[in-house]
Amino acid sequence: MTKKAIIIEDQPILWDYAKSCIEKHFEVIAYCATTEEAEAVFKKEKIDFVWLDCYLGEMLESYQGLKQSGLILASWIKNHFPLTKILLFTASTELSLLKQAQELQLEGIALGAKYLKDKSIILEGINEIVDGKHWICPNLIQNFEMELFSKITVFELSILIATIYGKQAAQIAEELNTTRKTVNNALYRIKQKLEIDPYASRDQFLESCKEKLRGAVSINSYFSITEFISMQAVAEQLISPIISQLRDGQFIKQRLKN
């Protein structure tokens, strides 16, 4: 018996691409651009697989922007048709979507996937989903090196972020109510902790930081998302306020423990 699939994507230009990725395993019986269209199909047909975009161009009632209508629809599908497999395929790279997708027990997650040129990555993922596995697009969150960055103190992190924002040591020292020597010493410690040449120039240092973030710890297991998201949540809670305050100069004349 042929298994059926629908493609839920508000950009018709991607319909053929999606079909070409799943037609080996499923017969595509409908293309939907809205949650309403998708729900109508589900009420008529037994659907085995859904290719789902996260943002379907549907606006929040508060007019504050797009809503994550794809995830809302995914929740509805899982509540009413729990055996239907879902691949969340989206241009968004919001890591918070990983947590939501895992909570819904979606079988496949591909953030930023609309920018992928290598279709074989998606084809491999479809195969794994069909085989009953949970799959995350590997080259999206692969090699995120968090362990080295976890060694950096809040004071050092503040200096690192300020440096990334283009501030010089003297300016950072003034804003953090410390000395230029202390700032330079902190940058030296950061280089040590991140295993970067202590004599690297500013540009080399920042480039190395970027490479470290592309990093060395693969997250290739669906169930390791929780640990990753936990670290990400801590990082966001810690880093975001610091970024905002540094950008707005709110740390001027304040002293952080180093």
Side-chain angles (χ1 to χ4, degrees), residues 227-246:
E227 179 183 359
F228 178 75
I229 288 296
S230 296
M231 293 188 294
Q232 180 68 18
V234 169
E236 288 177 352
Q237 292 172 17
L238 177 65
I239 295 173
S240 295
I242 293 176
I243 289 177
S244 298
Q245 293 177 58
L246 279 169

Side-chain angles (χ1 to χ4, degrees), residues 145-159:
E145 190 169 66
M146 202 71 176
E147 185 177 353
L148 290 178
F149 282 86
S150 68
K151 300 176 183 179
I152 299 176
T153 67
V154 174
F155 178 77
E156 292 166 349
L157 182 62
S158 301
I159 291 175

